Amino acid sequence: MSFDTTKTNLKDLLEDIDEGKIQLPEFQRDYVWNEDDVCSLIASIAKGFPVGALLMLERGGDVAFKPRGIEGTKVEGIEPELLLLDGQQRMTSLYKTIYSKEPARVRTAKGQVVERHFYLRIPATLGPLVEFESAIETVPADRIRRVNFAKEIELDLSSIEREYENLLFPLDQALDPVDWIFACQEYWADRDSTVRSLLTDFRKSVLSPIQSYAMPVIRLSKANSREAICTVFEKVNVGGKKLDAFELVTAIYAASSFDLREDWAGTKEKHGRLGRMRAYLPAKGVFADLASTDFLQACTILHTLDLRNTAIAEGKAGKELPPVSCTREALLGLPLLAYRKHADAVEKGFVEAAKFLNEQKILWGRDLPYPPQMVAMAALFALLPAERRTAVAYARLAEWYWSGVLGEFYGSATETKIARDVPDLLAWLEGGPQPRTIAETFFQVSRLDTMRSRLSAAYKGFHALLMRRGCRDFISGKGVEVMTVYADALDIHHIFPRRWCEDRKIPPSVYNSIVNKTALSAASNRTIGGDAPSRYLARIETRSGISSDDLDEILRSHLIDPAALRADDFEAFYKARKAALASLAAEAQGKPVMVDAAPPEGFADDDGMTVDEEESLEEVA
């Protein structure tokens, strides 16, 4: 980090702000300080107390944030020398209260935004043990303070003579007070001779410290990288809304007159990229929670892959090759030209990724196991020509996808895995070696025993795989996929009811496993109640008029062994369904699962979810 620290006179800082030499980055949000906070700041300045350092950035470096003036200044068209990264509220408050002649916008104790002029009650600022904040008076923009529902005037400072009369010094004169002080002395010369010495003491004790006050300024060199500058800004910007990489890149692009936020989110009149993509899907489809940074990550993968390929073409190798990356640092370094080059292809890539996910029966945003995998797929489809999107390619992509989901591989270090998987997948689809994600992942059969949280990626994956093989509701016989698409009342419920299991002392850690759960309608769940399977299956047959054979076929669509379920044999049912789910995982991954030692009886829950958190509908007794 290249920077220096100096102390700069407050008057000089405010003059530079007024002239436009110091401005704000465009992404700095307006914020109104509380009236009490402003008074506290003024008191600290007057008493010479430290109020914190300012952080500024030299203009002209790698980070070209679009500038804008501090509130109240008129600096449009003026190129600043420095950007104020931290200290906006302090300097805005000081500029509006002690430099500008316009009223300051502040927030009252009740949260109302008002305009105020600030004054110092001269006698109250002098003497021992002064409570300086109580010596500060504020009046509305017209300088008249009214009470009793504005019927009575409590304080009138609408003329300079009234200021003299009340010995209330306007803070907007603090940096150049001579004329006001002399005029006030003249006003009181024939009225009270003691006021002259009072004003002299006030000037020396209060105004001089304000005029000579200096603030520490940390000045970041323009030679610093984007990552360094943006990281420092985020560290010090603790009072405002945290800015993600998208906000920072938006500010950088704004300097080139490109509105990244509008390009992404659109306007009231037209869709942006997000709106166009979502138009292909239901309202809560897989793009429901798609983040702007996800889109930037895919663009960054393509850009850094371009850089790597260019280096290879130049004969570079080994450590000379730039990495394929989508880290935060790489995002912040994404040039506008590169974004414009790749954004359209990435947009289409996300749509193709959504189609692929829907084919795998992942239909809603909440059911998406790992959003970062969708980023990798979007980048892949952006690079993959239409003629290479064959059945073989899609089968291989599915093998990679389910290896990541069921192997619970994308739960950490996702940026590294995205950057690795995209080139690996491209090479594999061209006849190269199998991606490492497939080679390095496996599914342990015992994981089924501890899988209880519907928030886990593998849990969501098994739910989608069961829909993919056509599981149907116990009563209606409708496909769970169709019921999901048409928003029928549907949720994950116990196959052997909880009450039945508890009556037989089966531990919750066992009966709450995914092995004993499946997707059913609310109607089916109510019919099941808390009875033994043999009883509720008979009840379903009687009430619905469905034959035992047809109901057995529905049970098999959930990988349930009908014989074990009808015999109320929990142990046999559990063993058979666990094996069936393991086979389903093996089929999806295109490789055998790992069979390891069975967990002990009453095995512990590894995800900490309670039954109430898991179930949206209580089983009816």
Side-chain angles (χ1 to χ4, degrees):
M1 206 58 213
S2 177
F3 66 93
D4 62 60
T5 304
T6 60
K7 292 188 74 174
T8 305
N9 187 272
L10 175 61
K11 183 177 182 179
D12 294 337
L13 289 171
L14 294 176
E15 286 177 350
D16 285 348
I17 286 172
D18 189 63
E19 295 170 6
K21 294 179 181 178
I22 297 174
Q23 296 185 33
L24 298 168
E26 173 62 36
F27 61 83
Q28 285 275 46
R29 294 166 176 82
D30 289 331
Y31 179 74
V32 180
W33 257 20
N34 292 329
E35 189 171 356
D36 290 344
D37 293 333
V38 177
C39 290
S40 178
L41 174 66
I42 293 169
S44 295
I45 296 289
K47 291 185 285 188
F49 292 171
V51 295
L54 305 177
L55 180 67
M56 299 196 193
L57 169 67
E58 291 180 345
R59 290 270 285 169
D62 189 37
V63 181
F65 291 133
K66 183 179 179 180
R68 69 173 173 88
I70 278 181
E71 180 183 327
T73 59
K74 298 177 181 179
V75 296
E76 292 80 2
I78 298 175
E79 284 296 315
E81 298 173 4
L82 296 167
L83 292 180
L84 181 60
L85 298 185
D86 183 48
Q88 174 192 3
Q89 304 314 320
R90 283 169 287 162
M91 296 313 294
T92 300
S93 298
L94 292 171
Y95 178 80
K96 295 291 286 184
T97 55
I98 70 175
Y99 192 96
S100 172
K101 301 303 183 282
E102 299 296 321
R105 286 194 314 129
V106 294
R107 195 179 300 275
T108 66
K110 294 182 178 180
Q112 182 183 7
V113 176
V114 296
E115 292 187 330
R116 291 286 185 263
H117 290 285
F118 286 73
Y119 284 83
L120 292 178
R121 284 194 289 112
I122 295 173
T125 63
L126 303 172
L129 303 176
V130 171
E131 293 184 6
F132 205 94
E133 289 179 43
S134 64
I136 300 174
E137 292 280 359
T138 63
V139 293
D142 63 0
R143 300 182 189 264
I144 299 174
R145 191 166 68 204
R146 297 173 173 85
V147 294
N148 192 19
F149 301 100
K151 295 177 182 178
E152 301 175 14
I153 294 177
E154 181 182 51
L155 180 63
D156 185 351
L157 301 176
S158 59
S159 69
I160 194 168
E161 289 76 19
R162 291 186 181 278
E163 293 175 349
Y164 301 153
E165 178 185 350
N166 289 281
L167 288 175
L168 279 166
F169 176 80
L171 267 165
D172 57 20
Q173 302 288 329
L175 299 179
D176 190 12
V178 174
D179 289 346
W180 194 96
I181 293 292
F182 285 166
C184 187
Q185 287 177 340
E186 185 176 343
Y187 175 86
W188 283 98
D190 298 330
R191 292 175 173 84
D192 186 344
S193 60
T194 62
V195 172
R196 183 180 185 86
S197 61
L198 182 73
L199 291 171
T200 300
D201 290 344
F202 173 70
R203 183 179 176 186
K204 291 179 179 179
S205 302
V206 178
L207 298 183
S208 290
I210 294 177
Q211 289 175 281
S212 61
Y213 190 87
M215 298 183 73
V217 176
I218 301 171
R219 184 167 173 153
L220 301 181
S221 168
K222 62 185 178 182
N224 286 299
S225 69
R226 290 186 182 190
E227 171 70 7
I229 290 167
C230 293
T231 298
V232 169
F233 174 74
E234 286 192 299
K235 295 291 185 184
V236 301
N237 188 40
V238 293
K241 178 183 176 183
K242 184 175 176 62
L243 299 173
D244 60 19
F246 181 83
E247 295 279 359
L248 294 167
V249 174
T250 297
I252 293 168
Y253 288 178
S256 300
S257 301
F258 181 81
D259 192 333
L260 179 61
R261 188 177 293 106
E262 181 178 316
D263 184 69
W264 169 250
T267 64
K268 292 181 179 180
E269 290 74 32
K270 65 176 183 178
H271 281 315
R273 297 188 186 279
L274 179 60
R276 290 196 297 268
M277 290 189 292
R278 284 180 172 172
Y280 286 93
L281 302 172
K284 296 182 180 179
V286 293
F287 293 149
D289 299 314
L290 182 65
S292 53
T293 47
D294 295 336
F295 192 87
L296 280 185
Q297 279 189 321
C299 291
T300 305
I301 287 289
L302 269 59
H303 170 59
T304 54
L305 190 58
D306 277 352
L307 296 179
R308 187 176 181 86
N309 290 336
T310 299
I312 291 172
E314 293 171 350
K316 296 179 182 179
K319 294 183 178 179
E320 293 182 305
L321 294 176
V324 178
S325 175
C326 61
T327 61
R328 183 175 177 278
E329 183 175 5
L331 259 67
L332 293 173
L334 179 67
L336 177 56
L337 285 176
Y339 176 81
R340 283 176 157 157
K341 175 183 177 181
H342 296 299
D344 288 346
V346 167
E347 182 179 331
K348 294 176 182 176
F350 269 104
V351 173
E352 289 302 313
K355 292 177 183 178
F356 171 84
L357 290 167
N358 287 173
E359 284 283 340
Q360 305 305 312
K361 308 309 175 190
I362 295 168
L363 308 174
W364 305 114
R366 67 179 184 182
D367 297 327
L368 192 62
Y370 288 124
Q373 273 190 294
M374 184 165 63
V375 174
M377 283 190 288
L380 174 70
F381 280 120
L383 293 166
L384 195 64
E387 63 271 14
R388 285 170 53 195
R389 297 176 188 178
T390 63
V392 173
Y394 279 104
R396 287 188 169 186
L397 183 59
E399 188 176 332
W400 162 82
Y401 182 74
W402 289 112
S403 291
V405 171
L406 300 179
E408 297 178 289
F409 190 62
Y410 262 77
S412 61
T414 57
E415 294 167 350
T416 300
K417 289 166 184 173
I418 293 170
R420 189 182 77 176
D421 276 350
V422 174
D424 281 2
L425 280 167
L426 276 173
W428 190 36
L429 297 180
E430 292 176 347
Q434 193 180 63
R436 285 168 289 177
T437 293
I438 296 177
E440 294 175 3
T441 59
F442 52 88
F443 182 75
Q444 289 183 309
V445 177
S446 63
R447 178 68 178 100
L448 291 164
D449 298 315
T450 60
M451 197 181 299
R452 297 174 187 83
S453 171
R454 68 178 58 199
L455 300 179
S456 74
Y459 197 113
K460 294 176 180 181
F462 275 106
H463 178 55
L465 288 172
L466 284 169
M467 283 198 290
R468 195 175 74 164
R469 76 180 308 278
C471 63
R472 295 182 289 147
D473 184 58
F474 285 9
I475 290 180
S476 68
K478 293 180 182 178
V480 169
E481 175 191 359
V482 172
M483 297 178 72
T484 298
V485 170
Y486 288 94
D488 288 348
L490 188 73
D491 216 326
I492 307 297
H493 299 292
H494 293 92
I495 299 168
F496 273 78
R498 179 172 58 191
R499 191 182 71 180
W500 185 92
C501 292
E502 290 174 346
D503 288 347
R504 284 150 186 81
K505 308 302 181 185
I506 297 173
S509 58
V510 176
Y511 70 69
N512 280 327
S513 161
I514 193 174
V515 178
N516 189 40
K517 295 283 192 70
T518 201
L520 295 171
S521 67
S524 291
N525 184 52
R526 285 193 294 270
T527 301
I528 287 172
D531 289 334
S534 59
R535 292 188 61 184
Y536 75 65
L537 291 175
R539 187 158 56 240
I540 289 173
E541 291 169 1
T542 299
R543 293 181 181 179
S544 304
I546 188 173
S547 69
S548 296
D549 289 343
D550 287 343
L551 184 53
D552 285 351
E553 283 303 309
I554 291 175
L555 295 175
R556 291 188 186 97
S557 74
H558 292 261
L559 299 182
I560 296 170
D561 176 13
L565 193 65
R566 290 183 181 278
D568 299 333
D569 189 339
F570 183 85
E571 185 176 348
F573 150 80
Y574 194 96
K575 181 179 179 181
R577 193 161 194 257
K578 180 178 175 180
L581 290 173
S583 296
L584 186 64
E587 179 186 355
Q589 291 184 304
K591 60 185 178 183
V593 295
M594 180 174 286
V595 180
D596 49 5
E601 183 178 353
F603 41 82
D605 188 345
D606 68 349
D607 48 43
M609 297 294 288
T610 68
V611 175
D612 288 339
E613 288 174 311
E614 281 292 294
E615 299 303 319
S616 66
L617 291 173
E618 288 291 324
E619 290 168 342
V620 179

